[in-house]
Amino acid sequence: MTRSTTPPVRAKHDTAKRPPSRSTANINRASVKLSKPVLSKALHPRNAHQQGYDFAALISAMPALASFVRPNPYGNDSIDFADPKAVKSLNAALLLSEYHINGWDIPDGYLCPPVPGRVDYLHYIADLLAVKGKVVKGARIRGLDIGTGANGIYPLLGIQTYGWQFVASDIDPVSIANVAKIAQQNSKIATHLQLRLQHQPEHIFNGLIATDEQFDVTLCNPPFHRSLAEASEGSLRKVNNLAKNKQQNQGQKSRKLAASQAKPTLNFGGQKAELWCEGGEQQFLANMIKQSRDYANQVLWFTSLVSKSENLKPCYQLLKQVNAVEVKTIEMTQGNKATRILAWSFLSPALRQQWVALRP
């Protein structure tokens, strides 16, 4: 797909109260001070999924979901999260019911992201970009999504939740075409979104950010694994864990039958660019940090998810080497799963204030 030339749309900004930030770990060229983050099992205070899923409302919005909903061992409505069709149907219902996104779908074999965790990233980014404690909504904020995938989840949620503009990029033409198809069914998204195909996979920003462009923030969910074999092992382990949990909640007779018949399959989607790359997450983050230096004056905040906590230390060291002025680590948790956002800027506080003041 060719690069969009649709001019950006400007909109008035809105404000909302900002909750206490859980940003931690500031780094500057003079000193390095890392404070231990405070962990919580709660989603972000603005996350609409704090109370779990309202299946009655979701089925009302998308009746097709009903065929996947069954009572769990505790008598509550749920789905089989080991079934990719059920998970995709749940996602489509969530995006339609809560975020008014029509026609969301992904091709078979592509990554199906958990909506509550993905929107959490955006809520914390909104806190990072807040001005004097006020979250900024509207098209004054411009984001760049690196590796948007076929699901396009970050720009879709960012546009619908905050009204921001987005450029979404990927090295996979199928992914770009699929996000374009979704955008065509949603007028606001089509107006606020540009899609750009990265023709050189070794480049992260080069070829995407024009010489006269500026972005308030970049977002990324890096490939996690180092190889296809490692990704396959991870998917198989995930399926086995879900199957084990399901069997533990069944009666003894059913458990024996399930154990005799169980043959886990790799039914969690994901293409090469979505799941693995040479060197895995650590190498991808290193490449991103090094290449971000070339766009120091064109991006207010660079950010990325970091799944493995052990990858933070080499990132801190590299950010110091490239003279990042400020680095923040924002902890996020969803249930028992912990992850974090790494954010860095090459602009001094005074220049960041000037950036905000000069926004159109």
Side-chain angles (χ1 to χ4, degrees), residues 113-132:
V115 173
R118 295 300 185 253
V119 77
D120 240 33
Y121 187 176
L122 289 160
H123 290 315
Y124 282 108
I125 291 301
D127 292 345
L128 181 69
L129 298 176
V131 178
K132 295 180 180 180

Side-chain angles (χ1 to χ4, degrees), residues 31 40 70 72 105 153 173 201 228 245 256 275:
S31 63
S40 168
R70 299 286 186 275
N72 64 18
D105 196 7
I153 199 69
L228 175 60
N245 291 336
K256 288 181 179 179
L275 292 179

Side-chain angles (χ1 to χ4, degrees), residues 72-268:
N72 64 18
Y74 303 100
N76 301 318
D77 285 342
S78 187
I79 65 166
D80 181 359
F81 286 93
D83 180 354
K85 292 182 179 179
V87 174
K88 186 164 76 168
S89 182
L90 174 61
N91 265 23
L94 281 170
L95 293 171
L96 177 60
S97 175
E98 188 64 41
Y99 303 98
H100 311 293
I101 297 172
N102 294 295
W104 184 88
D105 196 7
I106 52 174
D108 290 342
Y110 279 75
L111 197 62
C112 188
V115 173
R118 295 300 185 253
V119 77
D120 240 33
Y121 187 176
L122 289 160
H123 290 315
Y124 282 108
I125 291 301
D127 292 345
L128 181 69
L129 298 176
V131 178
K132 295 180 180 180
K134 301 292 185 180
V135 169
V136 181
K137 293 186 176 182
R140 295 178 68 193
I141 298 296
R142 195 160 185 255
L144 170 62
D145 184 24
I146 301 295
T148 197
N151 57 76
I153 199 69
Y154 291 123
L156 297 181
L157 290 173
I159 291 168
Q160 294 299 92
T161 304
Y162 289 107
W164 297 341
Q165 293 185 73
F166 270 91
V167 170
S169 69
D170 206 284
I171 63 174
D172 177 26
V174 175
S175 292
I176 293 294
N178 193 69
V179 179
K181 183 179 178 181
I182 298 169
Q184 289 168 4
Q185 301 175 70
N186 298 272
S187 58
K188 182 179 178 182
I189 291 171
T191 302
H192 286 63
L193 178 65
Q194 296 181 34
L195 295 167
R196 298 180 183 176
L197 179 64
Q198 174 58 275
H199 296 280
Q200 298 175 293
E202 68 275 16
H203 293 314
I204 296 176
F205 304 108
N206 185 23
L208 297 178
I209 302 179
T211 55
D212 59 345
E213 274 191 308
Q214 291 184 321
F215 290 94
D216 294 277
V217 66
T218 68
L219 300 89
C220 185
N221 185 11
F224 184 78
H225 299 288
R226 296 173 179 268
S227 66
L228 175 60
E230 185 177 288
S232 297
E233 289 175 6
S235 295
L236 185 58
R237 185 164 52 249
K238 188 173 182 180
V239 173
N240 276 324
N241 288 338
L242 283 168
K244 182 179 179 181
N245 291 336
K246 185 176 179 181
Q247 291 167 22
Q248 288 174 347
N249 290 323
Q250 294 173 335
Q252 186 175 5
K253 182 178 180 180
S254 297
R255 184 160 59 248
K256 288 181 179 179
L257 179 62
S260 67
Q261 295 177 343
K263 292 183 179 180
T265 57
L266 299 182
N267 57 3
F268 288 90

